[in-house]
mmCIF file of all heavy atoms in Angstrom:
data_model
loop_
_atom_site.group_PDB
_atom_site.id
_atom_site.type_symbol
_atom_site.label_atom_id
_atom_site.label_comp_id
_atom_site.label_asym_id
_atom_site.label_seq_id
_atom_site.Cartn_x
_atom_site.Cartn_y
_atom_site.Cartn_z
ATOM 1 N N GLN A 119 4.741 -21.584 12.710
ATOM 2 C CA GLN A 119 5.362 -20.538 11.872
ATOM 3 C C GLN A 119 4.633 -20.352 10.643
ATOM 4 O O GLN A 119 4.311 -21.312 9.896
ATOM 5 C CB GLN A 119 6.838 -20.876 11.600
ATOM 6 C CG GLN A 119 7.600 -19.760 10.913
ATOM 7 C CD GLN A 119 9.077 -20.049 10.823
ATOM 8 O OE1 GLN A 119 9.529 -21.194 10.869
ATOM 9 N NE2 GLN A 119 9.938 -19.034 10.553
ATOM 10 N N SER A 123 4.933 -14.682 1.379
ATOM 11 C CA SER A 123 5.793 -14.093 0.297
ATOM 12 C C SER A 123 4.954 -13.816 -0.902
ATOM 13 O O SER A 123 3.742 -14.124 -0.956
ATOM 14 C CB SER A 123 6.891 -15.166 -0.075
ATOM 15 O OG SER A 123 6.263 -16.377 -0.533
ATOM 16 N N ALA A 139 3.506 -20.241 3.683
ATOM 17 C CA ALA A 139 4.023 -21.546 4.032
ATOM 18 C C ALA A 139 3.819 -21.679 5.580
ATOM 19 O O ALA A 139 4.317 -20.932 6.345
ATOM 20 C CB ALA A 139 5.433 -21.667 3.627
ATOM 21 N N PRO A 157 -1.889 1.161 5.151
ATOM 22 C CA PRO A 157 -1.105 2.111 5.915
ATOM 23 C C PRO A 157 -2.012 3.011 6.778
ATOM 24 O O PRO A 157 -2.963 3.584 6.328
ATOM 25 C CB PRO A 157 -0.419 2.951 4.823
ATOM 26 C CG PRO A 157 -0.359 2.035 3.625
ATOM 27 C CD PRO A 157 -1.596 1.194 3.708
ATOM 28 N N HIS A 172 -14.010 -24.774 1.963
ATOM 29 C CA HIS A 172 -15.020 -23.714 1.848
ATOM 30 C C HIS A 172 -14.350 -22.390 1.966
ATOM 31 O O HIS A 172 -13.508 -22.152 2.891
ATOM 32 C CB HIS A 172 -16.096 -23.823 2.907
ATOM 33 C CG HIS A 172 -17.101 -22.753 2.900
ATOM 34 N ND1 HIS A 172 -18.144 -22.619 2.043
ATOM 35 C CD2 HIS A 172 -17.179 -21.708 3.631
ATOM 36 C CE1 HIS A 172 -18.816 -21.533 2.209
ATOM 37 N NE2 HIS A 172 -18.250 -20.892 3.265
ATOM 38 N N THR A 173 -14.688 -21.429 1.142
ATOM 39 C CA THR A 173 -14.078 -20.101 1.136
ATOM 40 C C THR A 173 -15.115 -19.009 1.381
ATOM 41 O O THR A 173 -16.252 -19.182 1.057
ATOM 42 C CB THR A 173 -13.316 -19.834 -0.207
ATOM 43 O OG1 THR A 173 -14.324 -19.903 -1.239
ATOM 44 C CG2 THR A 173 -12.240 -20.842 -0.407
ATOM 45 N N ARG A 182 -12.484 -10.658 -7.203
ATOM 46 C CA ARG A 182 -11.163 -10.366 -7.699
ATOM 47 C C ARG A 182 -10.099 -11.238 -7.096
ATOM 48 O O ARG A 182 -9.047 -11.455 -7.660
ATOM 49 C CB ARG A 182 -10.856 -8.885 -7.328
ATOM 50 C CG ARG A 182 -11.788 -7.907 -7.937
ATOM 51 C CD ARG A 182 -11.323 -6.469 -7.740
ATOM 52 N NE ARG A 182 -11.318 -6.103 -6.319
ATOM 53 C CZ ARG A 182 -10.212 -5.657 -5.695
ATOM 54 N NH1 ARG A 182 -9.092 -5.544 -6.312
ATOM 55 N NH2 ARG A 182 -10.314 -5.338 -4.400
ATOM 56 N N ARG A 187 -5.812 -23.607 -1.000
ATOM 57 C CA ARG A 187 -4.820 -24.300 -0.170
ATOM 58 C C ARG A 187 -4.341 -25.530 -0.795
ATOM 59 O O ARG A 187 -5.030 -26.180 -1.591
ATOM 60 C CB ARG A 187 -5.432 -24.643 1.223
ATOM 61 C CG ARG A 187 -6.617 -25.628 1.223
ATOM 62 C CD ARG A 187 -7.303 -25.692 2.546
ATOM 63 N NE ARG A 187 -6.473 -26.210 3.605
ATOM 64 C CZ ARG A 187 -6.692 -25.931 4.923
ATOM 65 N NH1 ARG A 187 -7.705 -25.208 5.313
ATOM 66 N NH2 ARG A 187 -5.859 -26.454 5.822
ATOM 67 N N LEU A 196 -3.094 -16.630 -2.153
ATOM 68 C CA LEU A 196 -4.116 -15.635 -2.414
ATOM 69 C C LEU A 196 -3.784 -15.026 -3.833
ATOM 70 O O LEU A 196 -2.819 -14.336 -3.975
ATOM 71 C CB LEU A 196 -4.096 -14.521 -1.335
ATOM 72 C CG LEU A 196 -5.197 -13.504 -1.514
ATOM 73 C CD1 LEU A 196 -6.563 -14.118 -1.183
ATOM 74 C CD2 LEU A 196 -4.971 -12.273 -0.576
ATOM 75 N N GLU A 204 -6.651 0.845 -3.530
ATOM 76 C CA GLU A 204 -7.106 0.584 -2.124
ATOM 77 C C GLU A 204 -6.687 -0.759 -1.585
ATOM 78 O O GLU A 204 -6.820 -1.045 -0.378
ATOM 79 C CB GLU A 204 -8.613 0.661 -2.085
ATOM 80 C CG GLU A 204 -9.249 2.057 -2.347
ATOM 81 C CD GLU A 204 -9.108 2.511 -3.795
ATOM 82 O OE1 GLU A 204 -9.012 1.641 -4.706
ATOM 83 O OE2 GLU A 204 -9.166 3.743 -4.056
ATOM 84 N N ALA A 207 -1.492 -2.615 1.048
ATOM 85 C CA ALA A 207 -1.502 -3.030 2.486
ATOM 86 C C ALA A 207 -0.357 -4.030 2.730
ATOM 87 O O ALA A 207 0.182 -4.572 1.728
ATOM 88 C CB ALA A 207 -2.815 -3.650 2.836
#
Side-chain angles (χ1 to χ4, degrees):
Q119 187 173 21
S123 61
H172 173 78
T173 59
R182 301 187 297 120
R187 65 190 297 158
L196 186 69
E204 293 75 20

